Structure formats: C-alpha cells, structure tokens
Amino acid sequence: MTRILFAVLALTFAVTGCRKEEDDTYSGPVWILFVNVYDGSRPDRLLQQCAHVTWKYQGDEAEHDVGCRNTNGYVKVWEPISEDVRIIYHVDCEGYQPTGDAIAIFSYAQVDTVEGRENPEVTQTVEITLYPN
C-alpha cells in the first residue's frame, strides 16, 4: 500500500512539478531565466532528467522551486517585473551534486518592448553542468 501511495505522489509531482500552469497566460512584462542543464558525465549532452531551480528574491526568505518542462534539459524561471530584480538561485537534480548559489540580475530598463510584441520581457540564459554523485 505504501508503494502505491509513493508511486501516486511521484506521478503527481512529475506531472505538476515540472510545469507552470499560467506560463502562457501572463501578458505583462516579465523577467525570464532559462537554465540549460548539462550532464557532467557527458558534457555535450543536456540533462534529460527533471532538474530543479530553487530561487528567491535577494533580501527575501521565501524560496520558490521550479522544475523542468517535460524532459527537455532546461528550466524556465519567470515572474512579473516592474522594477530591477536580483535573484539568488541554485540548481539540483536527483543523483547529481547541486550547484552553489548564483545571482541573476534583471534590469527593468532592458525589458524588450518592441512595438507589436505581445509579451514584453527581459531574459537571461545560463548553462549549468551537474556532476553525478
């Protein structure tokens, strides 16, 4: 019985923990951090497991955990932006050593407001390599 409960919980997490429901519905300016996660045992290959980015706004204690989208090797972290944003984040994945904390800074002045663009945003892309335990 315990195994069945664990399997149901794991399946629920896999379905809901790796996506953000409102991903395509927010229309205001947003900051976006794309985290490409590579497998340290084969550095030319994106990690196809469900990596997680745990992040928080600098000066805030509330942490947020964002998982992968399907098994595509990247994690997309985003939130609305109305002023300059600084976040602290780290990446982990089961069976791999987690990264240390890193900082990402998003300048509100760099929000892409090209005329006709539907969803203004400011983005960064980082590449992270995780090494097996």
Side-chain angles (χ1 to χ4, degrees):
M1 185 59 130
T2 304
R3 289 182 186 177
I4 293 172
L5 179 59
F6 180 72
V8 169
L9 288 174
L11 181 61
T12 301
F13 176 76
V15 171
T16 60
C18 290
R19 65 182 177 153
K20 193 167 185 176
E21 289 293 331
E22 60 277 358
D23 199 24
D24 299 321
T25 60
Y26 188 79
S27 62
V30 296
W31 59 264
I32 301 173
L33 178 65
F34 291 104
V35 182
N36 294 313
V37 184
Y38 289 88
D39 185 336
S41 64
R42 295 185 57 200
D44 59 331
R45 182 176 66 123
L46 285 169
L47 186 65
Q48 296 301 310
Q49 295 176 348
C50 193
H52 285 264
V53 176
T54 304
W55 68 274
K56 64 182 178 180
Y57 289 107
Q58 187 173 27
D60 190 359
E61 293 303 314
E63 287 191 340
H64 310 274
D65 182 11
V66 179
C68 67
R69 302 193 72 183
N70 304 315
T71 57
N72 53 20
Y74 79 91
V75 181
K76 178 181 177 184
V77 181
W78 69 270
E79 288 291 324
I81 185 172
S82 60
E83 61 186 3
D84 291 352
V85 170
R86 181 183 291 244
I87 67 166
I88 300 169
Y89 68 93
H90 67 269
V91 181
D92 63 81
C93 182
E94 187 175 332
Y96 290 80
Q97 299 172 11
T99 66
D101 285 346
I103 295 176
I105 301 170
F106 300 88
S107 171
Y108 184 73
Q110 294 179 339
V111 171
D112 183 358
T113 57
V114 173
E115 188 173 327
R117 182 174 178 95
E118 200 170 306
N119 296 313
E121 60 192 31
V122 57
T123 65
Q124 287 186 39
T125 301
V126 296
E127 295 184 351
I128 302 292
T129 301
L130 295 181
Y131 296 93
N133 287 333

